[in-house]
């Protein structure tokens, strides 16, 4: 849904954009964190053209067979087009193929630049790099991959797991603004959000 809310949290308008069904209705949920449910999660809506949106979301994808251990949460892409009557039509969901697909692909932060589509896959990976991918919006394949050193994030947010959050918006000719989040602890898990800026030029280095 799109929702318009005023400064007093009153809902002014709501529009249904799309219904995203599970990629596999036959999957049996397993008793493991992030795998107990079935169906799309964490959708990100990104304006992409005058009357179009691109939605990224994660859903389950079978690796080899129907055994639970072979299910992974992968990223999917779908195009949404708005008619003059403010109704949306959608394309089929396409899984984004990665050669090094992790078991849990979540919290991607998409942005667009000059009619090209990008996502920040990791704000801080195991090598202390920010990893940004250029995605072909028709085939959902990776066109390019960029990485930049972000070890200063580890020093600044020490002791936390650092992940992406919202899609980024362009602030000016040189920078984009987005919201990420941190996670700390287990019982309880503590989540906090933070704003960050990154360069509008490849490799899209986080600057503040």
């Amino acid at each position: 849904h799109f929702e318009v809310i005023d400064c007093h949290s009153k809902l002014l308008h709501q529009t249904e954009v799309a219904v995203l069904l599970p990629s596999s209705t036959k999957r049996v949920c397993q008793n493991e964190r992030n795998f107990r449910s079935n169906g799309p999660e964490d959708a990100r809506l990104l304006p992409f053209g005058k009357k179009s949106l691109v939605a990224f979301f994660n859903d389950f994808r079978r690796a080899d067979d129907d055994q639970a251990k072979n299910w992974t949460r992968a990223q999917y892409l779908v195009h949404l087009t708005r008619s003059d009557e403010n109704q949306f039509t959608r394309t089929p969901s396409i899984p984004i193929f990665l050669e090094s697909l992790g078991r849990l692909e979540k919290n991607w932060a998409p942005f667009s630049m000059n009619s090209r589509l990008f996502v920040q896959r990791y704000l801080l990976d195991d090598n202390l790099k920010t990893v940004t991918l250029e995605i072909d919006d028709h085939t959902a394949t990776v066109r390019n991959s960029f990485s930049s050193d972000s070890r200063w994030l580890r020093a600044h947010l020490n002791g936390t797991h650092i992940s992406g959050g919202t899609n980024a918006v362009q602030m000016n000719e040189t920078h984009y603004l987005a919201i990420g989040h941190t996670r700390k602890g287990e019982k309880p898990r503590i989540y906090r959000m933070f704003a960050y800026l990154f360069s509008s030029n490849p490799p899209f280095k986080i600057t503040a």
Side-chain angles (χ1 to χ4, degrees):
H1 289 81
F2 273 146
E3 294 183 351
V4 180
I5 299 173
D6 69 9
C7 59
H8 301 292
S9 298
K10 180 182 178 181
L11 180 64
L12 301 179
H13 178 72
Q14 177 174 280
T15 300
E16 183 176 282
V17 176
V19 177
L20 302 175
L21 299 176
S23 60
S24 177
T25 57
K26 297 181 180 179
R27 176 183 171 270
V28 177
C29 301
Q30 60 195 98
N31 189 23
E32 183 181 349
R33 186 186 295 275
N34 293 313
F35 290 84
R36 294 187 181 119
S37 62
N38 197 28
E41 284 186 358
D42 299 337
R44 310 283 195 262
L45 290 172
L46 181 71
F48 197 65
K50 291 183 178 180
K51 292 187 177 182
S52 298
L53 300 166
V54 172
F56 286 87
F57 60 91
N58 71 79
D59 198 356
F60 288 99
R61 182 179 181 184
R62 191 175 62 226
D64 299 312
D65 52 43
D66 286 323
Q67 299 302 311
K69 65 181 181 180
N70 290 322
W71 287 92
T72 60
R73 270 202 175 275
Q75 287 283 329
Y76 287 74
L77 181 151
V78 61
H79 279 270
L80 305 164
T81 303
R82 180 173 60 87
S83 70
D84 292 335
E85 291 75 31
N86 207 34
Q87 300 296 314
F88 285 83
T89 57
R90 53 162 294 184
T91 61
S93 303
I94 309 173
I96 299 174
F97 176 76
L98 298 172
E99 293 183 358
S100 57
L101 184 67
R103 187 168 186 240
L104 195 61
E105 294 288 347
K106 292 184 66 176
N107 299 311
W108 284 18
F111 64 98
S112 63
M113 182 178 66
N114 299 327
S115 300
R116 296 162 64 190
L117 193 60
F118 299 86
V119 293
Q120 287 179 323
R121 184 186 183 192
Y122 298 118
L123 293 193
L124 194 70
D125 70 2
D126 293 338
N127 297 313
L128 304 180
K129 304 281 189 181
T130 296
V131 178
T132 303
L133 308 175
E134 182 181 0
I135 306 294
D136 187 300
D137 66 288
H138 294 294
T139 63
T141 54
V142 177
R143 285 180 169 176
N144 292 295
S145 179
F146 309 90
S147 65
S148 57
D149 192 310
S150 293
R151 65 184 66 245
W152 68 271
L153 270 177
R154 171 56 61 223
H156 189 63
L157 300 170
N158 191 32
T160 64
H161 179 78
I162 302 169
S163 299
T166 66
N167 48 297
V169 294
Q170 191 162 8
M171 291 288 292
N172 50 41
E173 293 184 359
T174 61
H175 285 87
Y176 281 77
L177 172 69
I179 304 293
H181 75 272
T182 62
R183 187 191 75 223
K184 186 176 183 180
E186 284 297 329
K187 294 182 179 180
R189 282 191 170 194
I190 300 173
Y191 291 88
R192 289 190 171 93
M193 296 187 295
F194 63 93
Y196 65 96
L197 292 172
F198 63 91
S199 172
S200 59
N201 295 314
F204 307 107
K205 183 177 178 62
I206 296 177
T207 58

